[in-house]
Amino acid sequence: MNTTINYLELLKNNQLKVTPQRSVILEQINKFGHIDIDTLYMYVKKQFPNISLATLYKNINAMLEKTILKEVKIAGIKTKYELTKAQHIHTICNKCGAVEDLFIDTNTISEQIKSETNFIADECDMNFFGVCKNCQ
Amino acid sequence: MNTTINYLELLKNNQLKVTPQRSVILEQINKFGHIDIDTLYMYVKKQFPNISLATLYKNINAMLEKTILKEVKIAGIKTKYELTKAQHIHTICNKCGAVEDLFIDTNTISEQIKSETNFIADECDMNFFGVCKNCQ
DNA sequence: CTGGGTGCAAAGTATTTGCATGAAC
DNA sequence: GTTCATGCAAATACTTTGCACCCAG
């Protein structure tokens, strides 16, 4: 049920050396879906007790630049990171805090924006706040 | 053409004391539409050379709590603040950096989300990245 | 072997807190 | 007069940088 991702190829294809630290970082981000730096640090430390926060930041930044990762900035909570995947939006539950992906079409709105304002959008972030199924 | 806002009432109605500093803060945020803390500090200092960053942060946080203000977190740029107003979305130009408001309907998507996932959304943030009319 | 990655320490930036004084109501 | 805001200094949190050493290719 979990998508298998080839971290090795992902790194190689982006001219980043494959190190065990990087593999674990990607593994953990994928496991959590969305994770903030401190939680990630905590989990990566379980496999690399000596890894430094600086290394984590450096790697995160390198992968952000290569667009392997994406920054998820959400009002009210710490910035999280996710693997870059198909265009999707986020739902954030105000009760339990869960952040979920939802793969829905966003092009319709982009086109509406273009016709109304001439702004040509090629990307978007959408965050919906409310109450998730489980918390209702 | 500029909406006149009664900062006095806005503060009073939210149980916040009316101080000249607060009025100027609201004035500047309104003038810029969206502004980050450093730019705001710079402009507020023109009228209150002795104001401290701490005071600015305290006021911003107080007004965020009362929902007079809203945090605008956008991937890649510094967090900005705006006055709370009718539901709207943001367009961010990748060339000139301009952040603009766009008042379009978001309920249709909220309903789509509800019917697809049972997530009940009561609010959303939407940021579209691309090229604005002027920069094309 | 060579270039880039790692870990540490230190620097830099951002944000919050505590407290004495002063202004709002 | 009482409560809360302000401004300063200090503390804390967050992120980046420099450098010596080490590993991936």
Side-chain angles (χ1 to χ4, degrees):
Chain A
M1 65 155 279
N2 215 343
T3 313
T4 301
I5 296 172
N6 193 334
Y7 304 121
L8 223 124
E9 288 302 319
L10 194 55
L11 290 168
K12 272 193 200 161
N13 294 341
N14 286 281
Q15 297 80 47
L16 292 176
K17 283 188 179 170
V18 177
T19 67
Q21 287 88 337
R22 286 182 174 163
S23 299
V24 172
I25 291 170
L26 287 171
E27 216 171 76
Q28 293 300 316
I29 295 178
N30 186 44
K31 189 178 90 191
F32 282 91
H34 317 85
I35 190 169
D36 66 81
I37 200 90
D38 294 324
T39 313
L40 180 57
Y41 186 47
M42 209 175 91
Y43 280 88
V44 174
K45 260 179 120 65
K46 288 184 181 175
Q47 292 176 69
F48 285 93
N50 294 325
I51 200 174
S52 71
L53 242 192
T55 298
L56 191 49
Y57 272 111
K58 282 174 196 165
N59 279 321
I60 293 281
N61 287 334
M63 297 190 221
L64 283 174
E65 256 171 43
K66 299 292 190 181
T67 68
I68 294 174
L69 296 183
K70 211 169 162 309
E71 230 185 346
V72 182
K73 284 191 170 188
I74 297 175
I77 66 174
K78 274 198 76 165
T79 296
K80 295 181 182 241
Y81 302 95
E82 67 182 7
L83 294 182
T84 299
K85 45 201 154 187
Q87 177 65 249
H88 62 278
I89 69 165
H90 295 121
T91 57
I92 300 101
C93 178
N94 292 327
K95 298 218 170 148
C96 70
V99 177
E100 300 290 345
D101 291 341
L102 226 179
F103 296 82
I104 68 172
D105 165 72
T106 58
N107 288 328
T108 313
I109 305 190
S110 297
E111 276 154 31
Q112 185 189 348
I113 292 172
K114 189 180 172 188
S115 67
E116 283 189 23
T117 66
N118 280 315
F119 184 97
I120 300 176
D122 55 15
E123 223 199 314
C124 73
D125 289 346
M126 286 172 61
N127 300 319
F128 285 81
F129 301 88
V131 185
C132 76
K133 195 177 162 182
N134 296 332
C135 289
Q136 282 161 31
Chain B
M1 63 156 280
N2 215 343
T3 313
T4 302
I5 295 171
N6 194 335
Y7 304 119
L8 223 124
E9 288 302 319
L10 194 54
L11 291 168
K12 272 192 202 163
N13 293 341
N14 286 281
Q15 297 80 46
L16 292 176
K17 284 187 180 171
V18 177
T19 67
Q21 285 89 338
R22 287 182 174 164
S23 300
V24 171
I25 291 170
L26 287 171
E27 214 171 79
Q28 293 299 317
I29 295 178
N30 186 45
K31 189 178 90 192
F32 282 91
H34 318 84
I35 190 169
D36 66 82
I37 200 89
D38 294 324
T39 313
L40 180 57
Y41 186 48
M42 208 175 91
Y43 280 88
V44 173
K45 260 179 120 64
K46 289 185 180 175
Q47 292 175 70
F48 286 93
N50 294 325
I51 200 174
S52 71
L53 242 193
T55 298
L56 192 48
Y57 273 111
K58 283 174 196 164
N59 279 321
I60 293 282
N61 287 334
M63 297 190 221
L64 283 173
E65 257 171 41
K66 299 292 189 179
T67 68
I68 293 174
L69 296 183
K70 210 168 164 309
E71 232 184 344
V72 182
K73 284 191 168 187
I74 298 175
I77 67 173
K78 272 199 77 163
T79 297
K80 295 182 183 238
Y81 302 94
E82 68 182 5
L83 294 182
T84 299
K85 45 201 155 186
Q87 176 64 252
H88 62 278
I89 70 165
H90 295 120
T91 57
I92 300 99
C93 179
N94 292 327
K95 299 220 169 145
C96 69
V99 177
E100 299 290 345
D101 291 341
L102 226 179
F103 295 82
I104 68 172
D105 166 73
T106 58
N107 288 327
T108 312
I109 304 189
S110 297
E111 276 154 31
Q112 185 190 346
I113 293 172
K114 189 182 171 187
S115 68
E116 284 189 22
T117 66
N118 280 315
F119 185 96
I120 301 176
D122 55 14
E123 224 199 312
C124 74
D125 289 345
M126 287 173 61
N127 300 319
F128 284 82
F129 300 88
V131 185
C132 75
K133 195 176 160 182
N134 296 332
C135 289
Q136 283 161 29

